């Protein structure tokens, strides 16, 4: 599945958890870093408007589908990808890191969230080593001197996996720079994922997620903040539906010629 922005192609290039786990374990074992992005409809809005954000995304090694609209569009295009929300990836990625003996870092959010998340995950995952926590100050520049200092520390500390909880686009831009300055570190951008782990934010109940209404639950919980965001998301959805249909008919045409 892919999306086009300014004639540039952004691929959702990891179709499911099995493939993602295999790729990341291979990176751990070879000492190669990576940058993992979790694309959703809100990101598609930002990617169309922000060239720096798009450039950061295009520099990511691994892109998965964070939102159900991405999954539905992939089905419409007949290029199916599975739903892999960033928040749901934290625990399984920690298990992979622990199994491979890799050190884990948290960058972003707030210090209380980082401390509580680390304590909860270490108690849940045998052998997990969370050895680096950093909550940047307000107004953190993901390409500034503080960011460069953090990235140098991550590389020196031998971090295998760094969860980045700075929100989009900062987290993806930080990971983009990290691929240059910390080549042995794997970066996973997970938004508010650590806040959910720590219990500082409440996620939608499982039954709400199961019926694909987490977006509505979140919007009703924070209407002033999220109603404008979801309005922008719905506004771009018809164009992406048209794009998915073009992909579908292109594949059908190629099959007919073959």
């Amino acid at each position: 599945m892919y999306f086009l922005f300014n004639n540039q192609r952004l691929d959702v290039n990891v179709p499911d958890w099995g493939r993602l786990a295999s790729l990341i374990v291979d990176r751990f074992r070879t000492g190669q870093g990576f940058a993992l992005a979790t694309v959703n409809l809100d990101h598609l809005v930002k990617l169309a408007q922000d060239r720096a954000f798009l450039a950061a995304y295009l520099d990511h090694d691994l892109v998965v589908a964070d939102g159900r609209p991405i999954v539905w569009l992939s089905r419409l295009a007949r290029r199916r990808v599975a739903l892999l929300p960033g928040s749901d990836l934290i625990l399984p990625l920690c298990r992979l890191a622990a199994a491979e003996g890799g050190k884990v870092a948290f960058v972003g959010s707030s210090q209380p969230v980082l401390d509580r998340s680390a304590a909860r995950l270490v108690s849940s995952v045998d052998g997990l080593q969370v050895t680096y926590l950093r909550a940047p100050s307000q107004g953190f520049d993901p390409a500034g001197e503080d960011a460069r200092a953090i990235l140098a520390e991550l590389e020196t500390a031998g971090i295998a996996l760094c969860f980045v909880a700075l929100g989009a686009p900062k987290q993806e831009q930080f990971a983009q720079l990290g691929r240059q300055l910390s080549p042995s570190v794997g970066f996973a951008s997970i938004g508010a994922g650590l806040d959910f782990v720590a219990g500082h934010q409440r996620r939608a109940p499982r039954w709400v997620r199961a019926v694909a209404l987490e977006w509505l639950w979140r919007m009703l919980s924070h209407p002033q903040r999220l109603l404008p965001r979801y309005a922008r998301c719905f506004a771009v959805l018809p164009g992406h539906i048209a794009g998915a249909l073009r992909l579908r008919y292109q594949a059908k045409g190629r099959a007919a010629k073959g």
Side-chain angles (χ1 to χ4, degrees):
M1 181 61 189
Y2 67 83
F3 300 92
L4 293 175
F5 300 96
N6 300 319
N7 295 317
Q8 297 184 86
R9 173 170 161 167
L10 173 64
D11 286 273
V12 183
N13 59 7
V14 185
D16 53 42
W17 167 250
R19 180 60 177 157
L20 180 62
S22 175
L23 290 168
I24 288 179
V25 167
D26 182 66
R27 297 287 181 118
F28 285 159
R29 292 178 179 177
T30 58
Q32 299 179 64
F34 59 87
L36 167 64
T38 58
V39 67
N40 56 40
L41 200 54
D42 179 54
H43 288 189
L44 295 186
V45 174
K46 292 182 171 75
L47 288 164
Q49 300 169 344
D50 187 336
R51 289 181 179 272
F53 187 33
L54 177 60
Y57 243 91
L58 292 174
D59 281 343
H60 278 59
D61 310 90
L62 311 171
V63 180
V64 299
D66 179 85
R68 287 189 184 272
I70 308 300
V71 174
W72 293 333
L73 289 168
S74 77
R75 291 176 181 173
L76 189 60
R78 294 190 175 171
R79 297 169 181 242
R80 289 176 176 254
V81 295
L83 180 66
L84 295 174
S87 299
D88 291 345
L89 291 177
I90 296 172
L91 186 58
L93 288 177
C94 282
R95 288 173 176 153
L96 291 183
E100 297 299 322
K103 297 177 182 178
V104 174
F106 297 160
V107 173
S109 193
S110 66
Q111 198 62 47
V113 166
L114 300 188
D115 291 339
R116 182 169 293 186
S117 296
R120 289 188 173 183
L121 288 165
V122 167
S123 68
S124 300
V125 180
D126 290 341
L128 180 63
Q129 305 173 67
V130 180
T131 62
Y132 185 97
L133 305 175
R134 178 63 66 88
S137 60
Q138 193 82 7
F140 176 72
D141 179 355
E145 290 305 313
D146 286 348
R148 291 171 182 273
I150 292 170
L151 291 168
E153 291 170 358
L154 293 173
E155 186 72 15
T156 301
I159 298 297
L161 175 62
C162 177
F163 290 105
V164 190
L166 295 168
K170 285 186 177 182
Q171 59 194 14
E172 290 80 12
Q173 291 169 340
F174 179 79
Q176 178 190 31
L177 184 61
R179 293 299 288 123
Q180 300 174 36
L181 303 183
S182 307
S184 68
V185 180
F187 296 92
S189 296
I190 42 81
L194 294 178
D195 291 81
F196 294 137
V197 171
H200 282 230
Q201 286 192 40
R202 185 184 170 201
R203 197 169 177 194
R206 288 186 181 275
W207 71 266
V208 174
R209 285 179 265 162
V211 296
L213 289 176
E214 184 173 12
W215 66 273
L216 181 59
W217 188 90
R218 292 185 65 197
M219 186 179 71
L220 293 175
S221 301
H222 305 282
Q224 288 187 329
R225 180 169 64 89
L226 293 181
L227 184 56
R229 177 192 297 183
Y230 287 131
R232 291 190 292 269
C233 289
F234 286 123
V236 303
L237 193 54
H240 288 296
I241 290 172
L245 287 171
R246 282 194 296 272
L247 289 177
R248 178 175 184 153
Y249 292 131
Q250 285 170 10
K252 189 175 180 180
R254 286 193 295 268
K257 290 179 182 178

